[in-house]
Amino acid sequence: MTLQYQYPEHLRHTLETLPSRPGVYIFYGSDQTFPLYIGKSINIRSRVLAHFRTQSEAKLLHMTTDIGFHETIGEIGALLLESQLIKNQSPLFNKRLRVARKLCSLRITEKTTQFVFSNETDFTHAPDLFGLFKTRHAAIDQIRELADQERLCYGALGLEKLTAGRACFRFSLKKCAGACCGQETLENHQQRLRDSLESLRIRSWPYPGRIAIEEKSGALTEYHILNNWLYLGTAQSLESGKSMITPTTHFDRDSYKILCRYVFGQDGLNIVELD
């Protein structure tokens, strides 16, 4: 049953407590221990107001009894903290950024294409990996779509078995360039595959150990501590950041994407190696 939207008058009082600054906000239900929804914004109050006016969120607003928040120096801290809190607390209404402990990727060499998984392969340092998929099925869907675009061979991609000396069925339909029957070399086929997926190549962790990303706002400074694409926490000084220990854990897909998109592409951002 879909609830009819009504402006959440019962939450109006919470707006008085929300800052117009970056950070993470948390919608709580009657149980204050487990959140309903966690979000982030460079302006917490403005973003929460946008929720209040969104009719499709009637159920969330109806169930919410209180809204908390954690301020951060800027957007990087908010992104990293949001991702960490969602993984640790699994809010009911958050579908993205949920922890995925068994990610799938494609290992592409000169002659083979393999599906590999993060619980068996260290994605942090493994070479020749392309794409981060939540399931093997999602990886297969992507590679089938790419094969249709680039006339790649399902057999060479490991998607179907080939009979020795015979072309695949898709070759007769002119949907395969012929890696299966010698019309194209396997090395050329694999290079075309790699070129097509280059934007999805997984980067190895580019530092010998932990780093601190310095984020400033006026006279305030925070240091976001990471190692092997994993966010360890935020410190107020480099000395306290050095005390943070890297746990044994899985490859963190969301921290990886945050760093690649928002951090390593920025000019002038101060990154300090701690190890």
Side-chain angles (χ1 to χ4, degrees), residues 39-268:
K40 61 92 181 63
S41 178
I42 59 173
N43 186 321
I44 294 174
R45 188 175 188 278
S46 176
R47 183 67 187 94
V48 171
L49 271 171
H51 281 287
F52 283 11
R53 302 188 184 106
T54 304
Q55 297 188 22
S56 62
E57 296 181 0
K59 185 176 181 180
L60 168 62
L61 297 172
H62 178 75
M63 294 175 63
T64 300
T65 62
D66 195 17
I67 302 174
F69 65 90
H70 299 281
E71 287 190 57
T72 62
I73 288 290
E75 184 179 21
I76 295 173
L79 285 162
L80 292 168
L81 180 59
E82 178 200 32
S83 174
Q84 183 187 67
L85 290 176
I86 289 174
K87 288 180 177 63
N88 290 342
Q89 301 185 33
S90 301
L92 180 63
F93 285 85
N94 285 93
K95 294 183 179 179
R96 65 183 186 86
L97 297 182
R98 292 278 181 89
V99 62
R101 296 189 179 278
K102 187 181 177 181
L103 295 167
C104 180
S105 187
L106 300 171
R107 173 179 283 145
I108 303 172
T109 68
E110 289 186 355
K111 294 189 176 181
T112 63
T113 303
Q114 300 172 310
F115 296 95
V116 296
F117 300 91
S118 59
N119 63 328
E120 301 168 349
T121 301
D122 181 7
F123 282 15
T124 302
H125 300 291
D128 298 319
L129 297 186
F130 296 81
L132 286 171
F133 307 97
K134 291 186 177 180
T135 64
R136 186 176 189 273
H137 182 73
I140 290 174
D141 285 345
Q142 170 110 12
I143 204 170
R144 283 185 187 276
E145 182 179 342
L146 183 63
D148 290 339
Q149 293 172 0
E150 303 292 334
R151 297 180 67 224
L152 298 171
C153 179
Y154 277 11
L157 293 172
L159 299 180
E160 63 181 36
K161 291 184 178 180
L162 293 174
T163 301
R166 295 183 58 183
C168 70
F169 178 67
R170 293 177 73 253
F171 179 74
S172 66
L173 300 176
K174 301 186 185 303
K175 292 184 177 181
C176 165
C180 50
C181 58
Q183 294 296 308
E184 177 183 35
T185 66
L186 185 55
E187 289 80 6
N188 186 66
H189 175 279
Q190 294 300 96
Q191 188 59 53
R192 291 198 299 117
L193 173 61
R194 292 164 70 96
D195 291 344
S196 299
L197 290 172
E198 188 59 37
S199 64
L200 299 181
R201 180 189 288 272
I202 300 177
R203 297 176 59 175
S204 293
W205 179 245
Y207 300 98
R210 296 171 300 166
I211 63 169
I213 301 170
E214 183 183 73
E215 191 169 24
K216 288 178 172 289
S217 177
L220 302 176
T221 302
E222 285 183 342
Y223 297 92
H224 311 303
I225 314 302
L226 297 104
N227 192 19
N228 293 333
W229 304 113
L230 179 67
Y231 172 57
L232 306 181
T234 294
Q236 303 306 308
S237 69
L238 287 175
E239 284 305 312
S240 57
K242 290 178 181 178
S243 66
M244 293 185 181
I245 306 299
T246 305
T248 301
T249 186
H250 59 281
F251 177 87
D252 193 306
R253 174 177 179 263
D254 298 304
S255 289
Y256 173 86
K257 290 190 171 185
I258 289 168
L259 290 179
C260 290
R261 184 177 303 172
Y262 295 97
V263 176
F264 293 152
Q266 281 195 34
D267 293 328

